[in-house]
Amino acid sequence: MEETGPARNDSQSIDGHVKADRKKRGRKVSRDVEMDIEYLHKAVPQLSKVFRITDKIGEGTFSSVYLGEAQLMDGKREKFALKHLIPTSHPVRIAAELQCLTVAGGRENVMGVTYCFRKDDHVVIVMPYMKHQPFVDILGSLSFEEVRLYIYHLLKALRHIHQFGIIHRDIKPTNFLYNRQEKTFALVDFGLAQGTVNTQIELLKVVKQRTTQRGVGSTGKKAPQAQPPPRATRLPLSTPPQHPTTITAPQPSSSSSSSSTSVKPLAKRAATLTSTNRTKRTKELSGLCRTPRAVFGERNLNSCTPAPAKSADTKIELVKPSKTEDPATRAFVSVIRRPLSTRTPASSQKQPRTPAVNLGLTCSCYMTDRVCNVCMSRKQQVAPRAGTPGFRAPEVLTKCPNQGTAIDIWSAGVILLSLLTGRYPFFKANDDLIALAQIMTIRGSRETTQAAKEFGKAVMCSCELPRQDLRTLCETLRGRSSPDDEAMPLHPPNIDIANPQEPPTEEPGGRNAEENVPEPQDEEGWDQVPEEAYDLLDRLLDLNPATRITAQQALHHPLFTGF
Ligand code: ADP
Ligand code: MG
Ligand code: ZN
């Protein structure tokens, strides 16, 4: 964090500054990015007095991040990351994100905040800029030592925020910046954070209360709210000293409609949406579009449609064929929201299978591999589920209401799985049940069912999926060993295995063929991955949050001896 803070620089007018900057930089940013920068300057004109905004460095659904340069009081120029939140973000949510950064940030691998600008419903969080390499770009060239370092520093950041009672809820590589040259790390993006019961972040208590009251989980970010905000949410900002030490959270537009997702389009709102749509195409900036293929493709586990039952290589039956179009019948895995004890299989067997939505009839799907219409029409259980499906812990995927910091640890485990296999994203699913099915493929279906039972959820899987040996799995996916049929880590007919590091000539199912196995790289330490690495992976990916290792414990794991 800067001692001096950004100084004023009145030399730039809003109009024309983009062109001037482009000249100075001597390289082109796309016209889209130029327009976005211009839009930002118009939305928050104060920025122009402090920053020369030169590029867009990140873009998600809920924010765009820009690179800005400011001249400090001492004359030095310094780079900043300017996070422009979408104007529909809830004020409390924004304030909570800022409070996480101010209270916990700036040390222990957690990003800090320098300043915050606001005009109307536009908020820009200014952070020190951290140069970093997109995860996908470096994944294939990381040495094992670097992987060890990376995961250690991630756990350090997690220990730190967990000590404050912050659950990040969106741990994934794009939120953990890594500067490879300088070996520095920074956890960013508290836009989905929630508090534990004892959280020290006051506003996270508010976020929690609000979400509990509203019964929508922590969807404040994922589904921009258009609700009346508290009249003035004040957040103490610690820096810089020469500026006011409080900010008032912005009031969302007064044009709230009853719809939860639509806010009446003001002129500027329309501009925002246009901007967002346009910049979607420039997503490569955030590295998201460069992601190689996932280990799993959704179709593998959800190929509901008339899968030829006689297909020679189909070993497991995913679903019972159904005549209806009911999407529920496609479910590969089903989660029963009521505890097992409240079910009586005998009585459910008697129920007719015909749809009986909203007639007060009882469920007919118990102990079957489908979800009946009665269950489909039930109210959703209220539980936080924000985050990215492929990184969600089993207790999140099954909507367990009691979620804690262990969910971040699971996500760290998924990152380690990517690091050890060289595959990113490892799990890819748009749907929670598909994500759960993918987890079962690695961790075992019986094990998953058992863990779910322990946290109060009944999960059923239509077939048995054995738990994989993690070393075999990682070495196979990395291309270090060719599995014999017995030790095949994944079921070929159902799991689409693609190796992003491989030339495109490789066929997904061709791993058995000798010529398709990549040459093992004995350098970089990958020939001697210690057992401790897989042990830590196993503990991070503990299906049961109650027994899952904590960040504090993980930092003392034998894998990190000597750190
Ligand atoms: P979102 O909520 O939209 O995901 P993030 O806070 O995760 O926003 O930021 C999006 C991206 O912007 C990050 O993945 C990263 O590439 C970049 N970014 C964010 N903060 C910084 C920073 N302080 N320095 C450099 N890049 C950053
Ligand atoms: Mg992010
Ligand atoms: Zn049912």
Side-chain angles (χ1 to χ4, degrees):
M1 207 158 290
E2 281 57 43
E3 291 291 302
T4 45
R8 286 177 175 257
N9 169 8
D10 288 342
S11 63
Q12 282 178 355
S13 66
I14 295 171
D15 292 329
H17 69 88
V18 172
K19 264 181 224 146
D21 284 349
R22 192 160 66 135
K23 262 189 198 166
K24 276 185 219 162
R25 268 195 324 277
R27 76 177 181 83
K28 265 194 178 173
V29 294
S30 75
R31 179 74 196 130
D32 281 348
V33 169
E34 254 180 36
M35 283 165 68
D36 288 345
I37 293 173
E38 208 147 325
Y39 168 76
L40 177 61
H41 275 289
K42 282 186 178 138
V44 190
Q46 312 96 290
L47 290 175
S48 332
K49 301 187 174 174
V50 183
F51 298 102
R52 192 163 66 89
I53 303 173
T54 55
D55 208 348
K56 189 182 219 178
I57 51 177
E59 189 189 359
T61 318
F62 301 97
S63 80
S64 297
V65 181
Y66 298 86
L67 177 64
E69 225 179 75
Q71 192 161 22
L72 305 184
M73 296 293 205
D74 59 9
K76 284 189 199 140
R77 298 202 70 83
E78 188 145 339
K79 285 180 177 165
F80 294 89
L82 278 53
K83 179 170 177 173
H84 179 208
L85 304 169
I86 59 156
T88 46
S89 306
H90 197 283
V92 172
R93 194 63 266 179
I94 298 171
E97 178 170 0
L98 269 165
Q99 203 170 46
C100 289
L101 292 165
T102 53
V103 175
R107 59 216 143 108
E108 297 284 307
N109 301 328
V110 180
M111 181 54 69
V113 58
T114 310
Y115 204 71
C116 184
F117 286 87
R118 180 203 141 202
K119 175 153 186 264
D120 301 331
D121 47 4
H122 291 272
V123 173
V124 175
I125 299 174
V126 179
M127 298 165 275
Y129 171 71
M130 173 154 164
K131 192 173 167 229
H132 60 281
Q133 288 75 38
F135 190 74
V136 274
D137 290 2
I138 59 169
L139 183 59
S141 63
L142 292 173
S143 67
F144 176 71
E145 262 321 288
E146 230 174 328
V147 164
R148 211 155 70 110
L149 192 74
Y150 182 103
I151 206 73
Y152 179 83
H153 282 279
L154 173 60
L155 289 165
K156 214 169 138 183
L158 290 180
R159 175 178 64 183
H160 183 65
I161 63 162
H162 291 172
Q163 278 167 354
F164 282 89
I166 300 171
I167 310 170
H168 186 281
R169 296 206 70 96
D170 201 14
I171 296 298
K172 55 181 178 181
T174 49
N175 287 336
F176 189 59
L177 314 183
Y178 173 36
N179 182 325
R180 204 173 183 183
Q181 282 73 46
E182 293 173 10
K183 296 277 179 283
T184 50
F185 301 83
L187 180 62
V188 298
D189 197 356
F190 289 85
L192 290 175
Q194 279 195 330
T196 60
V197 277
N198 314 310
T199 186
Q200 292 169 45
I201 311 296
E202 289 302 314
L203 286 163
L204 287 182
K205 294 178 187 165
V206 183
V207 168
K208 198 164 193 180
Q209 279 160 11
R210 291 184 59 84
T211 53
T212 308
Q213 282 160 12
R214 290 205 314 265
V216 293
S218 66
T219 52
K221 182 176 178 182
K222 294 297 171 203
Q225 302 292 313
Q227 304 181 12
R231 292 222 60 81
T233 309
R234 289 190 177 271
L235 169 76
L237 258 188
S238 54
T239 54
Q242 71 271 35
H243 292 286
T245 55
T246 61
I247 67 147
T248 307
Q251 308 286 315
S253 159
S254 54
S255 59
S256 304
S257 74
S258 57
S259 155
S260 63
T261 50
S262 70
V263 175
K264 206 181 271 175
L266 300 172
K268 65 181 170 189
R269 179 97 55 208
T272 310
L273 295 173
T274 311
S275 161
T276 304
N277 289 342
R278 184 180 64 247
T279 52
K280 278 277 172 290
R281 296 194 303 270
T282 64
K283 252 195 165 174
E284 69 274 11
L285 286 162
S286 63
L288 290 176
C289 287
R290 276 177 281 175
T291 56
R293 286 178 65 190
V295 173
F296 295 94
E298 288 210 26
R299 64 189 175 82
N300 303 315
L301 294 171
N302 210 21
S303 54
C304 42
T305 28
K310 55 186 174 193
S311 164
D313 54 1
T314 302
K315 287 182 185 137
I316 52 175
E317 193 186 316
L318 296 185
V319 292
K320 283 184 183 168
S322 165
K323 284 170 197 152
T324 71
E325 282 299 302
D326 182 354
T329 60
R330 303 174 185 177
F332 172 59
V333 177
S334 56
V335 178
I336 295 169
R337 287 189 286 272
R338 284 190 283 164
L340 267 174
S341 57
T342 66
R343 296 278 170 145
T344 48
S347 70
S348 66
Q349 295 294 332
K350 291 175 199 155
Q351 294 301 324
R353 281 198 158 243
T354 37
V357 192
N358 297 330
L359 294 174
L361 298 179
T362 41
C363 156
S364 63
C365 65
Y366 182 76
M367 291 302 282
T368 69
D369 59 0
R370 57 192 290 278
V371 181
C372 73
N373 286 331
V374 173
C375 288
M376 279 303 280
S377 66
R378 282 185 194 170
K379 238 180 124 214
Q380 291 282 302
Q381 170 150 25
V382 175
R385 54 184 291 280
T388 308
F391 293 90
R392 282 184 194 147
E395 67 271 26
V396 180
L397 295 171
T398 54
K399 298 186 180 171
C400 183
N402 308 314
Q403 298 173 16
T405 51
I407 70 167
D408 291 341
I409 298 296
W410 175 275
S411 309
V414 176
I415 296 179
L416 182 56
L417 190 55
S418 267
L419 290 165
L420 294 176
T421 56
R423 309 302 183 97
Y424 177 77
F426 194 90
F427 299 116
K428 193 173 187 297
N430 292 325
D431 174 271
D432 282 351
L433 289 185
I434 295 170
L436 194 63
Q438 292 177 350
I439 289 172
M440 285 182 175
T441 314
I442 305 299
R443 304 300 280 157
S445 54
R446 246 192 301 162
E447 289 81 353
T448 307
T449 305
Q450 180 56 33
K453 200 173 158 193
E454 279 157 32
F455 56 74
K457 293 286 174 180
V459 174
M460 285 186 302
C461 181
S462 58
C463 60
E464 181 149 348
L465 300 161
R467 180 192 182 103
Q468 302 300 326
D469 173 71
L470 292 174
R471 180 186 283 274
T472 311
L473 174 79
C474 293
E475 290 185 348
T476 305
L477 289 174
R478 193 164 263 286
R480 289 207 53 83
S481 66
S482 87
D484 51 66
D485 282 346
E486 230 79 59
M488 194 71 132
L490 302 170
H491 297 275
N494 302 295
I495 307 301
D496 182 14
I497 300 181
N499 189 344
Q501 266 79 54
E502 281 311 289
T505 48
E506 178 171 86
E507 291 296 317
R511 291 170 303 118
N512 272 335
E514 202 64 28
E515 65 275 17
N516 282 335
V517 177
E519 282 296 309
Q521 305 165 329
D522 284 343
E523 322 88 67
E524 316 273 23
W526 289 109
D527 55 334
Q528 299 171 22
V529 176
E531 207 46 47
E532 286 81 23
Y534 301 111
D535 182 74
L536 178 63
L537 180 62
D538 185 50
R539 285 160 190 252
L540 297 170
L541 294 180
D542 186 334
L543 294 156
N544 185 351
T547 50
R548 196 173 300 147
I549 198 168
T550 64
Q552 169 74 23
Q553 291 163 349
L555 288 167
H556 291 104
H557 189 274
L559 179 64
F560 303 123
T561 307
F563 268 58

